[in-house]
Amino acid sequence: MSHAAENSAAATAVLREVKPASLPRPLLVENGRSYGWITDKICGIIEGKTPAWWWWCFIVACFVASWTVAGITYLVSTGVGVWGHANPVNWAWDIVNFVFWIGIGHAGTLISAILCLLRQKWRTSINRAAEAMTIFAVVCAGIFPVFHVGRVWFAWFLFPIPNYNSIWQNYRSPLEWDVFAVSTYATVSVLFWYVGLVPDLAILRDRFFNAGRKVRSFIYGLFALGWRGSNRHWSNYEMAYVILAGVSTPLVLSVHTIVSFDFAVSLLPGWHTTIFPPYFVAGAVFSGFGMVLTLMLPLRVIFKLEDLITQYHIDCMCKIALATGSMVGYAYIMEFFIAWYGSNPYEGFAFINRAFGPYAWAYWIMFLCNVITPQLFWFKKLRRNLVAVWIISIFINVGMWFERFVIIVTSLARDFLPSSWGYYSPSIVEIFTFFGTFGVFSVLFLLFIRFLPIMPMAELKAVTPQADPHAHHGHGKH
Amino acid sequence: MAAQPNSLIATFETTADLMRAAETVRDAGYKHWDCITPFPVHGLDKAMGVARSRVPRFSLAGGITGFCTGMSMIWFMNRFDYPLVVGGKPFFSPMFAFPVSYELTILFTAFATIGGMLFLNRLPMHYHPVLKYDQIHRGLDDRFFIVIESRDPKFNLEATRALLEKAGGADITELEA
């Protein structure tokens, strides 16, 4: 005890001398909102009447989603040749779209898992919606490889289910690793999301019960599992949550790593590089934050969530986009450097061809969107201009789609033999199938914001100043 | 003898009040009691004397099971049941079996963690006396409760009520089973 007292006396003396500036932590919930206000705000979105804009958006989203349904129906009834793939470009928009959507999902897991482990409390107001985004993005991603196999009714051959050929899957193939990575990712993301939802579903169960809406109360109650806010439960719950965050962190890093192995393990110049795993992961997080910003900024305005998604949250998201965008830019430049430094003429050609060959237009769109535009986030003034932030987030989405296009298509279109070179253009079926997935995503996301709490209420309450039981006796250590 | 209530429940306004009351109840030697809070209150486990959660044991078991499942599944499929020649590579090697085993480790850990959490919490449990309290929705919204169950050996209707009152609890109510 006396030791501790001596230390604290010494610390006070030092503090008196150096006169540290007081740097208040930014508030995560502004305007001193109470617990009850948070509950009413988030639950009110679900309990209120369905707004007209929701119906308009939903109808448009359903219409757009029907393009994917139509495209897929036509493909299944005709054959995979209705997509524009032909030698030498046998992977094109389908794999581009797959990698694009999977990448978008990564921000959700990053926010819910990695930022949880790093105790970044600002994650609380955006993690629910970002996790929902992850799940819906994985749904959209899954469509493409499943239908690219051609005979989709054999897609179950990808999984280790005994079949009449008695042949098992080839586990030496990164494509098979991908099956496990993506299906594990989808499953764990859903579990993580659901576990986070349980306490909030219990709130809705009680509120609907008190409002006399018994059917809704029953349905929410069924999924709330009888949650009653017991602290003995919270103790296990928090432990489970942190372990899930702990296993989701290596998971999210491994998923895009394994997606990049689909390319890096092949021998094709432009794909066969060791930089791919970290570069793909950084790109995935970058694109995901682009999408989080695209979704959260309108939600914040529509539902008047300014006290919960503060300027500080937006600053944080912009800064992560800036950091990962800079990593991606570094990777682009490093790829060129290694292509030159490695002295492999095929590798060198692949990169010169990317920047100055027939697909140069795509390369420079990618470069502009991914390397130049996020650099604008260095400026505080720009981060505070939400319209500008939203427009930049769209640029990031576009740029990251082009990144995958550039990697996949340019490398395949100019492979080893000039006699088999080609130029790939998408067919109308591919175009509609891809743009339709934005409809599929929007339909799911609209249903989510209508029926589920878009923010984790329990976690938000826990980061308010009044939640700290020690707040009354100063800011000492405990 | 009048029917013994299932438990006594008391209401608290702030986390600091709850914390002090929890320490009082803990020090009075009760075992079958609980706090109802809308969010996990930092430090309340210690104030209640709740031991560290045992969920990690389930997670570890799940992870080991997942990894072994991956490795043995791939060995069985590609080496034992139907040896498949691909590019002259070995039929089995832990190297190429690693990515899939790694994913299965995570998958099984996640299931075991959630299963373990639900098992330790005895959930799903859609019926519980506490859920019949007409103010229980506040316990998920903005109030804090302490519940002391009558099956606790130290439970005595008058003495326990007095303890909760002394600890600062308001609206002390008897809950039926």
Side-chain angles (χ1 to χ4, degrees):
Chain A
M1 264 323 267
S2 66
H3 209 71
E6 263 171 44
N7 276 347
S8 85
T12 326
V14 169
L15 287 179
R16 250 202 308 276
E17 201 157 312
V18 299
K19 297 196 191 74
S22 113
L23 289 173
R25 277 175 181 268
L27 287 175
L28 296 170
V29 178
E30 281 182 352
N31 292 329
R33 298 300 191 179
S34 65
Y35 306 135
W37 183 85
I38 293 173
T39 316
D40 289 341
K41 182 82 202 169
I42 307 293
C43 293
I45 294 172
I46 303 165
E47 292 163 347
K49 203 169 159 287
T50 309
W53 65 261
W54 189 90
W55 278 114
W56 285 113
C57 291
F58 189 71
I59 290 165
V60 171
C62 285
F63 173 66
V64 175
S66 72
W67 299 345
T68 293
V69 178
I72 292 299
T73 311
Y74 183 59
L75 176 126
V76 171
S77 56
T78 315
V80 83
V82 299
W83 282 351
H85 305 171
N87 277 334
V89 186
N90 287 308
W91 276 9
W93 270 40
D94 56 334
I95 305 298
V96 174
N97 301 339
F98 164 70
V99 181
F100 169 76
W101 276 116
I102 279 280
I104 286 193
H106 279 52
T109 326
L110 182 104
I111 291 168
S112 55
I114 299 180
L115 297 185
C116 176
L117 292 184
L118 298 177
R119 296 174 191 261
Q120 293 296 310
K121 289 183 174 170
W122 59 272
R123 66 182 269 286
T124 49
S125 38
I126 50 171
N127 77 344
R128 173 72 45 75
E131 286 171 36
M133 176 191 85
T134 296
I135 294 165
F136 306 148
V138 174
V139 169
C140 294
I143 294 171
F144 293 99
V146 163
F147 284 92
H148 189 208
V149 300
R151 290 179 290 171
V152 67
W153 49 96
F154 288 134
W156 59 278
F157 279 12
L158 294 166
F159 292 94
I161 300 165
N163 60 56
Y164 47 77
N165 297 325
S166 305
I167 304 177
W168 295 104
Q169 292 69 31
N170 171 22
Y171 288 95
R172 289 153 214 133
S173 165
L175 298 178
E176 186 62 22
W177 305 346
D178 218 10
V179 171
F180 277 80
V182 172
S183 52
T184 299
Y185 185 49
T187 315
V188 174
S189 299
V190 171
L191 290 175
F192 200 9
W193 189 58
Y194 175 62
V195 167
L197 270 168
V198 166
D200 289 354
L201 294 177
I203 301 180
L204 287 163
R205 168 197 69 196
D206 293 348
R207 286 175 70 101
F208 278 120
F209 187 82
N210 292 339
R213 294 164 79 176
K214 296 286 150 68
V215 178
R216 282 216 175 190
S217 173
F218 177 80
I219 295 168
Y220 283 106
L222 201 63
F223 288 99
L225 306 175
W227 183 262
R228 56 180 189 271
S230 151
N231 190 58
R232 292 175 196 275
H233 288 183
W234 277 121
S235 172
N236 290 322
Y237 177 92
E238 280 212 291
M239 183 61 87
Y241 200 81
V242 93
I243 291 173
L244 283 178
V247 296
S248 299
T249 299
L251 174 66
V252 67
L253 299 180
S254 78
V255 172
H256 232 62
T257 299
I258 290 179
V259 169
S260 82
F261 284 167
D262 293 346
F263 307 102
V265 174
S266 77
L267 294 174
L268 198 69
W271 286 6
H272 186 62
T273 62
T274 47
I275 202 175
F276 262 27
Y279 156 36
F280 267 54
V281 171
V285 172
F286 178 56
S287 70
F289 270 90
M291 195 59 136
V292 169
L293 283 167
T294 310
L295 294 171
M296 294 314 277
L297 292 178
L299 277 189
R300 178 180 189 256
V301 175
I302 291 168
F303 294 123
K304 300 189 174 54
L305 299 167
E306 287 85 354
D307 289 339
L308 298 174
I309 303 174
T310 65
Q311 183 60 47
Y312 173 66
H313 290 95
I314 294 166
D315 272 3
C316 287
M317 289 190 267
C318 291
K319 284 174 188 170
I320 291 194
L322 171 60
T324 48
S326 304
M327 285 183 217
V328 166
Y330 171 80
Y332 293 164
I333 295 160
M334 192 46 71
E335 275 188 322
F336 264 87
F337 172 74
I338 293 294
W340 167 76
Y341 188 66
S343 308
N344 177 335
Y346 299 101
E347 192 79 9
F349 170 77
F351 282 92
I352 301 284
N353 178 59
R354 253 181 211 181
F356 304 106
Y359 291 104
W361 57 274
Y363 184 84
W364 294 107
I365 290 177
M366 168 193 93
F367 203 86
L368 183 76
C369 292
N370 292 349
V371 184
I372 311 294
T373 47
Q375 299 304 321
L376 294 170
F377 284 149
W378 284 104
F379 304 103
K380 193 171 187 175
K381 204 168 169 190
L382 217 119
R383 295 198 304 266
R384 285 176 185 272
N385 181 345
L386 299 184
V387 176
V389 171
W390 195 74
I391 292 170
I392 292 174
S393 79
I394 300 284
F395 270 92
I396 294 173
N397 292 326
V398 172
M400 284 309 293
W401 187 87
F402 272 99
E403 180 197 296
R404 279 65 176 249
F405 179 84
V406 165
I407 291 172
I408 293 171
V409 174
T410 63
S411 303
L412 285 170
R414 292 281 181 278
D415 61 358
F416 302 96
L417 275 179
S419 61
S420 56
W421 284 359
Y423 189 89
Y424 160 82
S425 306
S427 77
I428 191 79
V429 181
E430 265 172 306
I431 294 170
F432 271 87
T433 308
F434 171 58
F435 284 102
T437 51
F438 287 98
V440 174
F441 180 86
S442 307
V443 166
L444 294 168
F445 202 79
L446 285 164
L447 289 172
F448 158 70
I449 60 176
R450 188 74 205 101
F451 292 107
L452 290 172
I454 58 170
M455 290 185 185
M457 290 177 265
E459 286 187 52
L460 276 175
K461 289 171 192 169
V463 299
T464 56
Q466 66 266 34
D468 181 5
H470 306 291
H472 296 290
H473 21 116
H475 292 283
K477 291 238 181 287
H478 301 285
Chain B
M1 191 179 113
Q4 179 92 323
N6 171 274
S7 44
L8 275 180
I9 191 162
T11 308
F12 300 85
E13 291 276 332
T14 66
T15 49
D17 292 346
L18 175 79
M19 203 75 140
R20 274 193 295 275
E23 283 165 356
T24 313
V25 177
R26 175 196 66 190
D27 294 341
Y30 286 92
K31 292 281 170 268
H32 295 287
W33 66 288
D34 210 341
C35 295
I36 304 287
T37 60
F39 53 87
V41 177
H42 181 68
L44 187 59
D45 287 355
K46 207 171 146 218
M48 281 180 70
V50 174
R52 190 183 144 87
S53 167
R54 283 175 293 151
V55 168
R57 299 178 194 189
F58 290 87
S59 312
L60 181 67
I64 293 171
T65 313
F67 189 78
C68 296
T69 306
M71 283 288 172
S72 47
M73 177 183 82
I74 294 168
W75 174 84
F76 172 81
M77 290 176 183
N78 280 180
R79 172 75 192 82
F80 184 80
D81 191 49
Y82 197 114
L84 195 64
V85 183
V86 179
K89 289 172 191 146
F91 288 123
F92 180 78
S93 151
M95 296 301 150
F96 72 71
F98 187 79
V100 167
S101 307
Y102 177 92
E103 298 301 336
L104 289 180
T105 308
I106 291 170
L107 183 68
F108 280 48
T109 309
F111 273 111
T113 306
I114 294 169
M117 184 269 282
L118 294 177
F119 171 74
L120 292 173
N121 286 347
R122 304 292 185 274
L123 291 175
M125 186 191 286
H126 286 100
Y127 175 80
H128 193 273
V130 163
L131 292 177
K132 290 213 306 193
Y133 183 39
D134 61 355
Q135 292 298 312
I136 188 65
H137 62 277
R138 300 298 294 269
L140 298 170
D141 180 0
D142 59 353
R143 287 287 182 278
F144 306 88
F145 301 125
I146 288 185
V147 195
I148 303 182
E149 296 179 20
S150 58
R151 68 190 165 109
D152 192 291
K154 294 207 67 161
F155 188 87
N156 174 299
L157 201 51
E158 279 71 45
T160 305
R161 181 184 283 273
L163 177 82
L164 284 172
E165 263 167 21
K166 198 182 96 209
D171 299 332
I172 298 171
T173 312
E174 294 174 14
L175 294 182
E176 288 170 20

